[in-house]
Amino acid sequence: MNPPEILTAAQLSPFFMASLQAHYVVHDRLHLSDPAAFAAVAPRIRAVAASGDSQVPAELIDRLPALELISVMGVGYDGVDLGRCLARQVPVTHTPDVLNDDVADLALALMLSVARAIPQSDAHVRAGRWPEGPMPLQRKMSGSRIGIVGIGRIGQAIATRAAAFGMGIAYTARSPRPQLPYRYLPTAAALAAESDFLVVITPGGEGTRHLINAEVLQALGPRGYVINVARGSVMDQDALIEALEQGSIAGAGLDVFADEPEVPERLRALPNVVLTPHVGSATHETRRAMADLAFANLHAHFSGNPLITPVPECRQAAT
Ligand code: 8YV
């Protein structure tokens, strides 16, 4: 039998690509690079391999009549038109859990970086300015208050780390989780009003679009920091820039942006932000684990076995 034909929806990790190419015929982003060639192979494509931040819109799904599975190498799948997949009964898989540690580590790293001005301190030493005088004093993180927006698996990993820093921990989510030993607040604004660090780790998509808006930032106040390791879409980026420029919040640590990889000049010019290029899960160890899981889902499907980590909506659909 001929190996299944696969379309990639984005530039994928080399770990994932290596497994795909060893087992399948891979059309790497052919829909973007060569529409005529894509039209010729589209009827044979049986799976799409995507990353957490890539786009699989309805128009693409509609052009793939033989589509059986979308495997996302990432925990977030907001780029996939899930409604269309459910209507077509095309399951979607993702890679939860294996990246919890890395994303939570980065959240804490951004908190420390922005509060303690670590990039600026590094620049101070490198520029030979230390002999001219010390760095200005910065803000203590241990013992302060963290507010976590979204208390899923990664949110809980962030809370565990924050506990080790002696922080007061509160969260907001669609509904309270009474089994968790943290304080629940019903809205992002109410949480922000009681936080020194507001950490955003909720799924992206229409349901959370601009959840962190001007009102929430206002509630966070001039001593508050906002950290986003979720999706750029969750933050009203214009309102954030405004708040940072006016000093109505203290600073921001951002791993995700509204229009990646573009980051507005106004944001890049600000002294009170630490910016990273969507690297929450970007370690050798974690990207390999994510690639292995994303591949294992494809392999399970093409071997006739149950999917390992279908997204929750597809788990419900299957039962
Ligand atoms: C990566 C992510 O951007 O898991 C996610 O949802 O956004 C990230 O881990 C990506 O998926 C790596 O392929």
Side-chain angles (χ1 to χ4, degrees):
M1 248 190 23
N2 292 334
E5 297 193 31
I6 306 276
L7 177 72
T8 70
Q11 180 168 18
L12 297 178
S13 143
F15 296 131
F16 195 16
M17 274 306 262
S19 306
L20 293 176
Q21 281 166 337
H23 294 85
Y24 309 124
V25 174
V26 181
H27 302 290
D28 189 12
R29 293 164 287 170
L30 199 60
H31 59 306
L32 303 175
S33 62
D34 189 343
F38 172 65
V41 301
R44 301 198 304 267
I45 287 172
R46 295 175 61 192
V48 169
S51 66
D53 42 8
S54 62
Q55 296 301 313
V56 188
E59 304 78 69
L60 178 57
I61 296 166
D62 288 349
R63 300 210 38 208
L64 304 173
L67 187 63
E68 295 167 28
L69 177 69
I70 297 177
S71 172
V72 177
M73 182 184 145
V75 67
Y77 48 95
D78 45 297
V80 177
D81 190 317
L82 198 65
R84 194 61 120 243
C85 293
L86 291 172
R88 285 264 310 270
Q89 298 191 324
V90 171
V92 179
T93 60
H94 66 153
T95 60
D97 289 321
V98 292
L99 43 56
N100 296 352
D101 283 341
D102 271 358
V103 180
D105 288 354
L106 186 76
L108 273 287
L110 287 172
M111 290 161 66
L112 283 165
S113 292
V114 70
R116 299 294 300 272
I118 290 171
Q120 293 87 338
S121 298
D122 178 85
H124 186 79
V125 176
R126 284 176 198 274
R129 292 201 306 270
W130 191 2
E132 294 162 21
M135 280 285 290
L137 299 182
Q138 304 296 334
R139 181 81 173 277
K140 179 173 177 175
M141 188 180 91
S142 281
S144 65
R145 301 166 303 168
I146 185 173
I148 304 174
V149 179
I151 200 76
R153 291 169 283 233
I154 304 174
Q156 290 176 48
I158 292 170
T160 307
R161 284 157 176 74
F165 284 86
M167 299 184 82
I169 303 169
Y171 70 97
T172 191
R174 272 185 308 232
S175 48
R177 301 267 201 107
Q179 74 279 17
L180 295 176
Y182 315 123
R183 188 157 161 248
Y184 172 75
L185 285 149
T187 65
L191 181 68
E194 303 206 14
S195 300
D196 298 300
F197 294 85
L198 187 72
V199 179
V200 185
I201 183 61
T202 190
E206 274 318 302
T208 57
R209 193 176 158 70
H210 289 190
L211 177 68
I212 309 302
N213 56 20
E215 181 207 345
V216 174
L217 297 170
Q218 186 74 32
L220 184 59
R223 284 184 55 77
Y225 296 94
V226 67
I227 307 295
N228 190 2
V229 287
R231 282 287 183 266
S233 59
V234 183
M235 179 79 72
D236 180 341
Q237 191 166 276
D238 291 337
L240 172 68
I241 294 172
E242 201 81 15
L244 287 162
E245 283 178 346
Q246 292 176 2
S248 46
I249 65 170
L254 306 171
D255 187 47
V256 289
F257 303 88
D259 183 25
E260 296 173 13
E262 303 303 325
V263 178
E265 169 56 32
R266 274 171 74 197
L267 193 49
R268 287 188 279 131
L270 286 164
N272 50 347
V273 296
V274 176
L275 309 172
T276 52
H278 201 147
V279 293
S281 63
T283 65
H284 292 284
E285 295 83 352
T286 293
R287 284 286 167 84
R288 183 175 285 287
M290 291 165 72
D292 287 351
L293 184 51
F295 176 73
N297 274 298
L298 283 162
H299 188 68
H301 172 76
F302 287 122
S303 317
N305 291 318
L307 297 172
I308 302 161
T309 46
V311 304
E313 295 86 341
C314 294
R315 279 206 297 274
Q316 279 148 21
T319 51

